[in-house]
Amino acid sequence: MPGKTPHIAQPSRRAFLRRLTCSLMGALGTGALGLAFWDRRGPSPAVVAPTSDPLPDFRLPEKGGRLAIVHGADRGQTLAAALHALGGLGGFIRPGDRVLLKVNAAFATPPMLGATTHPDLVTHMIRLCLEAGAGRVDVTDNPINDPASCFELTGIGPAARRAGARVVLPTEDRFESYSMTGGRLIVRWPVLTRPLREVDKLIGLAPVKDHHRSGASLTMKNWYGLLGGRRNIFHQQIHAVITELAMLARPTLVILDGTTSMMTNGPTGGSLDDLKDTHTMIAGTDAVAVDSVGAGLLGRSVDDLPYLRMAAEAGLGTVDYRSVSKGAPSL
């Protein structure tokens, strides 16, 4: 009736615990399935063709360094507001552009655990790209677990297809033995390059996560998913390889989803206790600045993440995110 507050039934403690147990069992089940399909290597350097062609530079020089921070709990609203603060997605995508979304689909775990890019963010980003006139949107990653399982269990694959995008799995023919100009680590190494060579714009979509080796997994760490082979050998030089990856992938935009952040036990997590609602969406052309904001969401300083200053010293952006910020509206 008008003026009367509707009654919403609250679950009992027993019902709540039952649902929580079911959710955790589901997470464990999907994790076990992912382990069953564990892919530790991906293509090795010996089985992919070498190339000397540099990867495209997807940056728009006229945009310079820009960053927008929006606070709110609804990913669709905060993403739209952040892109609006940057001048609108139409300023980055031309009609007919082929757009590649590089997501984090690393683990075969459900989105509730926060280890991968949230499917809602994927859905909204695809729709906004198509509304801006994109002729095609592709979604890719080279996950740690079996790729097909990861894209399905994270919800990213179904979300991408429903929104009208194409999921590009990291098949062997999509890798090249790549040597990055000026690179010390990424030399004759299998890199997932073909999806990047077939598009006009590149956008990174990453969640905010703790990482036990690098300190944080943010937008620059997200490019780790372009590597094939025994990429875990780079863990001993994790800050250097993240810096090289930021030099290798020069995106049009990066989006950092801090709606819920994984505060501990990253990058896989596994418990809802690892997560915290931080209700922040960051979008920008300067990945160093974007990731500097993400560090703060995790309670870390720029000095806690050496790769941030290394990337800044390489000319890839600034850790002084306030110098490029377009404000921080709240929704």
Side-chain angles (χ1 to χ4, degrees):
M1 295 178 60
K4 185 176 181 178
T5 301
H7 173 70
I8 300 175
Q10 298 297 318
S12 65
R13 183 173 182 272
R14 175 175 294 182
F16 172 77
L17 291 174
R18 188 187 304 120
R19 282 190 292 183
L20 180 60
T21 300
C22 290
S23 297
L24 292 175
M25 290 298 291
L28 289 172
T30 54
L33 182 59
L35 286 172
F37 290 101
W38 188 268
D39 175 16
R40 293 182 180 277
R41 296 189 178 188
S44 68
V47 299
V48 293
T51 182
S52 58
D53 297 333
L55 286 171
D57 185 342
F58 298 99
R59 295 174 297 181
L60 299 177
E62 69 274 17
K63 296 295 183 183
R66 298 187 181 194
L67 177 148
I69 309 167
V70 178
H71 299 292
D74 186 299
R75 287 184 172 86
Q77 292 182 7
T78 54
L79 175 65
L83 294 173
H84 179 75
L86 294 178
L89 191 58
F92 295 89
I93 295 177
R94 296 177 302 180
D97 271 353
R98 301 163 298 172
V99 180
L100 178 65
L101 305 183
K102 166 61 178 74
V103 298
N104 183 332
F107 306 105
T109 56
M112 63 180 287
L113 295 179
T116 52
T117 301
H118 199 284
D120 288 351
L121 180 65
V122 175
T123 296
H124 290 299
M125 195 68 224
I126 292 169
R127 288 177 178 167
L128 290 170
C129 288
L130 294 175
E131 289 172 7
R136 191 185 81 204
V137 182
D138 292 344
V139 179
T140 198
D141 191 20
N142 180 31
I144 294 173
N145 300 152
D146 170 72
S149 300
C150 287
F151 274 98
E152 294 309 306
L153 294 174
T154 59
I156 294 173
R161 290 190 292 271
R162 283 195 300 268
R166 183 179 70 150
V167 175
V168 179
L169 294 177
T171 53
E172 191 172 296
D173 63 324
R174 293 187 167 115
F175 285 81
E176 297 172 278
S177 179
Y178 192 78
S179 294
M180 199 189 71
T181 302
R184 184 171 59 86
L185 300 173
I186 304 174
V187 178
R188 295 188 295 279
W189 195 266
V191 176
L192 183 63
T193 56
R194 186 168 158 190
L196 279 70
R197 295 191 186 283
E198 296 178 341
V199 297
D200 306 295
K201 299 291 164 54
L202 173 63
I203 300 174
L205 302 178
V208 175
K209 299 195 297 179
D210 168 59
H211 195 283
H212 69 287
R213 291 191 181 274
S214 64
S217 178
L218 306 166
T219 69
M220 287 194 286
K221 175 65 173 61
N222 186 36
W223 304 121
Y224 209 90
L226 294 177
L227 297 174
R230 287 184 174 274
R231 61 190 184 190
N232 59 334
I233 70 168
F234 295 128
H235 284 170
Q236 301 306 314
Q237 302 177 79
I238 190 70
H239 299 289
V241 79
I242 292 174
T243 303
E244 287 198 10
L245 285 166
M247 297 166 66
L248 180 149
R250 290 160 291 183
T252 312
L253 276 173
V254 291
I255 310 294
L256 183 60
D257 181 4
T259 307
T260 300
S261 298
M262 182 184 290
M263 308 299 290
T264 54
N265 296 318
T268 56
S271 167
L272 299 181
D273 291 337
D274 296 321
L275 308 179
K276 177 183 178 182
D277 290 334
T278 45
H279 292 172
T280 305
M281 188 71 69
I282 309 119
T285 58
D286 183 331
V288 181
V290 169
D291 285 7
S292 296
V293 179
L297 294 179
L298 293 172
R300 274 137 223 191
S301 72
V302 169
D303 293 330
D304 292 328
L305 307 177
Y307 65 82
L308 289 177
R309 290 205 184 279
M310 293 167 67
E313 290 169 1
L316 300 175
T318 176
V319 296
D320 179 17
Y321 68 85
R322 293 179 181 82
S323 66
V324 294
S325 176
K326 298 295 181 184
S330 296
L331 300 176

